[in-house]
Amino acid sequence: MDYKNKIIYQIWPRSFQDSNHDGIGDLKGILRRLDHLQDLGVDLIWLSPVYCSPNTDYGYDISDYYNIHPDFGTMADFDALLTECKKRGMGIVMDLVANHTSDQHPWFQACLNDPNSPYRDCYYFREDINDKEPNNWISMFGGSAWTKDPLKPRSWYLTTFTPHQCDLNWENPRVREEIANVMRFWLDKGVSGFRMDVINTIAKQPGLPSWHPEKKGYQFAKEFMTNLPQSHAYIQELIGKLSNDYDFITIGEGMMADNDACALYAGEQRGELNMMIMFDLHLQDCGPLGKYDFRKLYHWTIPGFKSIIFRWQTDSQKRNYWVANYMNNHDQPRSISRFGNDRQYRVESAKAFALMNLTLRGTPLVYQGEEIGMTNCHLEQDEWRDYEAINIYGTLQTMMHLPKFIAKKVVQRMTRDHARTPVQWDDSDYAGFSDHQPWIKVNPNYKQINLKSDLVSETSINRWYKQAIALRKTYSAFNTGAMKPVLVHHKQILAYQRSDEQAEFLILINLSGSPAHFDLKTEGRILMDSYTDPQPRLLRPYEARLIQIR
Ligand code: NOJ
Ligand code: CA
């Protein structure tokens, strides 16, 4: 399957569209909105997990890989959705969480019922050392990465995300075969592929040693749990098992996977994945303490931003690997609020990031709501829903000694809940998402910011997306064409050329809130500009321009 020319739209189902009046988004709700996605030009819908799950991490803790969560509907609803997608020329990409299962998964339940269960070797159960966890690894969501085994006094199991997500032991062939079975099951149904969750952490350092044991407290054992050589062997084996029988696309998500790692996971001819999701843009305002590092929140620079883009673009081109670009997803605050200006220049910054995302080398991922310029949402503590946010709030106080009010502010800036408020379809109650109090707060700005009013606006963001998507589909230069950075040292403007035999384009984006002058010959035809009266050698705040040079 050609993976380079696809437009992929991510749905986080719980907040997309409710159909049965319970305030929770569901599959039938998605079905009702397929025309909107088709109209936008979407090829593939990546569904964040819709499997059975106790929802400690909203679906990323799967208890049954072969069934649909009742909140989302039934398997018949899924089949109907897939059929309707296909009628519209679209496909579905499933989210495959293979690093861990929920502790409610039958395999893990078997482990908890029997200390000699053969399934214990599907996970990492280990004895402790001097009454302390088996090693000093920190969980991605704060605190120890180990959870106490209720069956045996000195035994623990590895949980690198929430304590309810139990890391699978990929050394065990049974685990590897079962993941292949899960993929076969969904491929037989006709899905188009998988987005593979934290796929670069499936292999762990043999022996699970402590990371810098001389250091006090829990440590981020990056070298021992990400990008181990064995992870490539596992992926090659998995893909090798399926690729002769099925035609499908694979999008790897790799926590902190750098260029070298991605060159391997997504290198052409390596028999691994089609593309890796690029993380670095979203790490630039994180400090050594991670995403919630209070010293760095939202502090980033345009030169830094540009250098990340250019490094990934030129390196992936040089070494022949493929990335998935995105400005928003369910794990990050809304990009307009974080990297743009969500007040005075909301529309302009939405368009700037959209044009960038849709013209870069790589496959663009578009996240629900960004096509209407949705923003962060202020949430009081009792409105937080995300495990990560709630847990980090505690960790910031206990481990980092932050006073409560600062810890609260930090969480309110970074929480993943920003991305998870309901999609704003219209200005009716609950933004047209539901007619029932939703499971999470609706952003109060829905009266102004919603699809219905955007569609009739002269400066429609949705229309801008449509236009950029249509151009991307018309000109192969945007997919497989060469990428050449321009104005590399400019302090405000991100600029580059995309070209192939058929056509050549120049993209100019002012990433700042002030006017930006530039000195560059820009002869050609302006195909898109976010201001109605483009000026030569000048871009107004967040102005984005696409010029066809040839
Ligand atoms: C990455 C997912 O995007 C995130 O939502 C999840 O919490 C972790 N992986 C763990 O599965
Ligand atoms: Ca519902």
Side-chain angles (χ1 to χ4, degrees):
M1 191 181 296
D2 192 340
Y3 52 90
K4 294 185 176 168
N5 64 357
K6 298 283 186 281
I7 303 289
I8 305 180
Y9 185 97
Q10 183 192 357
I11 290 185
W12 200 75
R14 217 177 160 74
S15 295
F16 190 67
Q17 175 68 58
D18 176 25
S19 75
N20 64 342
H21 326 286
D22 63 357
I24 299 173
D26 46 55
L27 295 174
K28 279 196 170 130
I30 298 175
L31 198 133
R32 269 182 29 200
R33 297 291 182 185
L34 285 186
D35 290 344
H36 164 62
L37 303 182
Q38 185 187 14
D39 183 54
L40 205 57
V42 170
D43 300 301
L44 295 173
I45 297 171
W46 148 27
L47 282 185
S48 272
V50 289
Y51 318 92
C52 296
S53 159
N55 276 341
T56 48
D57 193 22
Y58 289 116
Y60 286 91
D61 47 330
I62 302 175
S63 54
D64 181 354
Y65 289 75
Y66 300 98
N67 273 302
I68 300 294
H69 194 304
D71 280 353
F72 297 137
T74 62
M75 193 57 92
D77 295 339
F78 181 87
D79 294 338
L81 180 66
L82 189 55
T83 308
E84 285 303 314
C85 281
K86 294 207 162 155
K87 271 192 206 160
R88 291 166 174 80
M90 300 190 285
I92 291 182
V93 169
M94 298 299 278
D95 212 315
L96 185 77
V97 187
N99 177 70
H100 43 263
T101 74
S102 158
D103 57 7
Q104 302 301 308
H105 188 278
W107 282 8
F108 198 78
Q109 285 297 307
C111 303
L112 292 187
N113 290 326
D114 173 5
N116 301 313
S117 165
Y119 289 107
R120 286 206 152 216
D121 193 41
C122 292
Y123 299 92
Y124 290 103
F125 280 89
R126 293 290 183 275
E127 299 278 295
D128 67 21
I129 303 168
N130 307 328
D131 242 10
K132 286 210 338 239
E133 294 88 348
N135 68 27
N136 67 357
W137 296 4
I138 198 168
S139 139
M140 290 306 119
F141 294 151
S144 170
W146 292 90
T147 302
K148 248 189 181 315
D149 175 359
L151 269 197
K152 286 185 168 180
R154 300 195 46 202
S155 159
W156 304 69
Y157 51 91
L158 184 65
T159 52
T160 53
F161 291 88
T162 77
H164 302 284
Q165 289 162 302
C166 314
D167 283 65
L168 283 165
N169 171 16
W170 276 67
E171 280 174 47
N172 186 336
R174 188 197 286 249
V175 167
R176 307 202 298 272
E177 193 47 46
E178 178 57 10
I179 297 299
N181 287 338
V182 168
M183 292 170 78
R184 279 191 200 100
F185 174 82
W186 291 98
L187 288 167
D188 284 335
K189 280 195 165 286
V191 306
S192 305
F194 302 92
R195 175 265 190 193
M196 302 168 87
D197 189 68
V198 284
I199 198 67
N200 68 334
T201 64
I202 55 176
K204 313 287 193 281
Q205 179 74 19
L208 310 180
S210 275
W211 177 251
H212 284 286
E214 74 288 355
K215 290 192 180 166
K216 264 175 92 183
Y218 303 123
Q219 302 297 323
F220 178 37
K222 187 173 167 210
E223 279 6 53
F224 287 172
M225 51 182 285
T226 61
N227 306 327
L228 274 103
Q230 200 55 26
S231 62
H232 299 289
Y234 295 150
I235 294 172
Q236 283 167 5
E237 179 192 291
L238 182 65
I239 300 301
K241 277 181 187 162
L242 303 166
S243 56
N244 286 337
D245 300 332
Y246 303 95
D247 183 24
F248 62 104
I249 168 171
T250 49
I251 309 161
E253 192 233 17
M255 203 176 45
M256 293 166 213
D258 58 14
N259 296 98
D260 290 342
C262 291
L264 299 178
Y265 289 118
E268 227 152 297
Q269 312 301 337
R270 280 197 43 97
E272 297 191 31
L273 306 173
N274 293 146
M275 62 186 93
M276 282 299 278
I277 295 180
M278 194 269 252
F279 245 84
D280 282 359
L281 266 191
H282 300 265
L283 293 175
Q284 60 185 320
D285 56 352
C286 301
L289 299 176
K291 187 173 157 190
Y292 289 86
D293 197 324
F294 50 93
R295 299 160 304 187
K296 285 218 45 179
L297 299 183
Y298 290 48
H299 286 281
W300 59 281
T301 63
I302 294 175
F305 189 106
K306 286 177 59 173
S307 75
I308 291 171
I309 296 284
F310 288 153
R311 173 158 50 82
W312 279 86
Q313 290 285 300
T314 49
D315 191 64
S316 62
Q317 177 163 260
K318 197 167 98 211
R319 290 201 269 175
N320 211 10
Y321 59 93
W322 198 250
V323 294
N325 297 304
Y326 64 101
M327 283 306 290
N328 295 279
N329 69 21
H330 64 295
D331 289 333
Q332 305 293 341
R334 290 279 176 183
S335 64
I336 307 181
S337 305
R338 186 176 178 185
F339 302 121
N341 178 326
D342 61 6
R343 284 155 196 262
Q344 199 183 347
Y345 299 116
R346 184 184 67 88
V347 171
E348 291 78 3
S349 27
K351 290 181 177 176
F353 298 140
L355 189 67
M356 180 188 101
N357 200 33
L358 293 166
T359 56
L360 285 177
R361 181 179 195 276
T363 298
L365 309 176
V366 175
Y367 180 66
Q368 64 185 39
E370 69 170 70
E371 76 277 27
I372 53 165
M374 279 179 64
T375 65
N376 278 357
C377 176
H378 180 80
L379 295 159
E380 286 305 330
Q381 206 175 331
D382 61 351
E383 294 168 331
W384 300 351
R385 295 289 177 269
D386 177 23
Y387 176 93
E388 180 187 73
I390 295 164
N391 201 53
I392 289 280
Y393 176 61
T395 310
L396 286 172
Q397 294 172 62
T398 50
M399 285 178 66
M400 281 150 217
H401 310 291
L402 284 194
K404 265 197 168 72
F405 79 97
I406 297 186
K408 188 171 149 192
K409 282 212 158 113
V410 171
V411 172
Q412 281 172 329
R413 294 282 278 171
M414 269 331 258
T415 175
R416 305 191 292 185
D417 288 329
H418 286 304
R420 301 176 179 188
T421 62
V423 172
Q424 295 159 212
W425 298 103
D426 58 42
D427 60 359
S428 66
D429 285 350
Y430 308 125
F433 162 73
S434 178
D435 54 10
H436 180 282
Q437 175 80 44
W439 71 281
I440 191 171
K441 182 177 170 181
V442 177
N443 195 324
N445 65 19
Y446 76 93
K447 290 266 178 206
Q448 296 79 44
I449 303 172
N450 60 67
L451 177 67
K452 193 170 159 220
S453 62
D454 183 83
L455 286 177
V456 296
S457 159
E458 274 184 15
T459 58
S460 167
I461 299 170
N462 190 73
R463 203 160 51 238
W464 178 269
Y465 270 81
K466 265 176 77 170
Q467 221 181 330
I469 289 173
L471 284 169
R472 190 176 175 103
K473 289 187 171 177
T474 309
Y475 295 103
S476 52
F478 294 119
N479 294 317
T480 43
M483 154 85 192
K484 189 173 145 225
V486 182
L487 298 177
V488 176
H489 300 293
H490 199 288
K491 297 216 160 41
Q492 294 160 281
I493 297 176
L494 172 74
Y496 47 90
Q497 284 173 8
R498 301 296 318 270
S499 61
D500 65 5
E501 324 72 57
Q502 184 196 12
E504 181 167 348
F505 301 93
L506 172 67
I507 294 97
L508 292 160
I509 296 167
N510 183 358
L511 290 171
S512 81
S514 332
H517 296 271
F518 60 94
D519 191 15
L520 190 71
K521 220 172 84 205
T522 58
E523 273 163 29
R525 196 159 63 96
I526 297 183
L527 299 185
M528 293 178 73
D529 197 298
S530 53
Y531 284 63
T532 46
D533 54 342
Q535 307 288 311
R537 294 167 202 266
L538 169 70
L539 295 179
R540 269 72 49 94
Y542 299 101
E543 182 166 354
R545 182 176 300 171
L546 170 61
I547 303 172
Q548 180 160 18
I549 300 178
R550 154 168 78 72

